[in-house]
Amino acid sequence: MIIRARTVVTMDGAPIDNGAVAVSDDRIDDVGKFDEITSRNAGEIIDLGEQALLPGLINAHCHLDYTCLRGKIPPQKSFADWIRAINTEKANLSAKDYLASINDGFAEAKRFGTTTIANPTAFPGLIPKISAPIRTWWFAELIDVRAPDRAGEIVELAIESLKSAHNWGLAPHALFTASKKLYRRCEEIARRNDILLTTHLAESLEETEMFRDASGPLYEFLKSIGRPMNDCGSKTPLARFLDLIGRGGSPNRPRAIEVNRPYLPWIVAHLNELIESDFDSLERSETRFHVVHSPRSHDYFKHSPFPFEKLRALGFNICLGTDSLASNENLSLFAEMRAFQKEFPSVPPEEVLQMVTVNPARALRQENALGRIQRGCRADLISIPCSGTDEVFAEIIAFEEAVDWILLNGKEKRNTPHAAKLAK
Ligand SMILES: [Zn+2]
């Protein structure tokens, strides 16, 4: 099959005007000017017309579990209050509700042109019951705050369910809900099975207050539910995390330890609240994990400004994610890109698009398979209208509709009845 479009945005060099992509089965075979592609390849030609063809978008952090909580939780006075509010909502939900919520979320993400999603779920037991319509990295979100002695057991149980998924990983929820033992166990398993790891880190100021000062609403809340608080009152969340993953950045750390325990490339959500000493630690530790920023969820919680420039200057791979609809209004990565642009207007649109294509592909260790249009990559493509100006990246980010045309794993999908009519 040969797909022609006004512009092919490969994310691997300049966009190609009057371009085409040759696809066989689930892979991209060739990409270039329409004339070149038709001279080198045979097959049915699909002409998308005045459209930009680009890689399917990748959501680097989402919780489809909570799609049904859209609009249910107004912004709260504190992060701890938000946790209380979501827990109250969750108490009314059954497994059936969560199943519907996850399926609705998948449909919505796909409607907005997302073809790959990194999705921590608090209910890994539901995974075998779900047929994901897009490429999914399922992470089991693990919490042992009420049962720190059962860390090993909690991980083992989750893995049993995760094994039914094609792509999976582990997600100790956050330093304030998952024990050191749980993090360590997840790292051990990741080393053994070559799987991905993700977690939430330094999301709120209250998390910093809790770990550094042993005070604040989050500290009080977790103490009240019986969390052992003896890890609080000294280090920032980031410093604790670096210690935990063996990258505390001590200048005297023997090199051999680093060699024996090469650090794992965690996908870290948030990193909103870092202090000066945290940046020093990051610089010293040379740890370069992947970072996911969720601009609209960030805005909902009114966190401190995301330190994008500093993290970028330190060489971090920065991706965008929607987070869940308990703190966001929809699952559109286009809207997420627009929110990011509002925060950081000087960042070029092409770089913003990288944060939902090539960057998350790298975080998922799929840099040669996803996020770009290149020979050998998976045939995950989307197409949106374009006017043929030089501002194709800006036009893509400004796109506000549902995505009509999607190619997923080499299979054509139409999202709306309108598109189906056009196809005839
Ligand atoms: Zn999250």
Side-chain angles (χ1 to χ4, degrees), residues 148-163:
D149 299 335
R150 290 184 47 225
E153 201 185 317
I154 288 170
V155 181
E156 294 309 322
L157 200 68
I159 290 175
E160 278 313 301
S161 304
L162 285 164
K163 279 180 179 163

Side-chain angles (χ1 to χ4, degrees), residues 384-399:
I384 62 169
C386 82
S387 65
T389 64
D390 292 340
E391 309 283 326
V392 61
F393 291 105
E395 253 188 273
I396 290 168
I397 293 174
F399 182 69

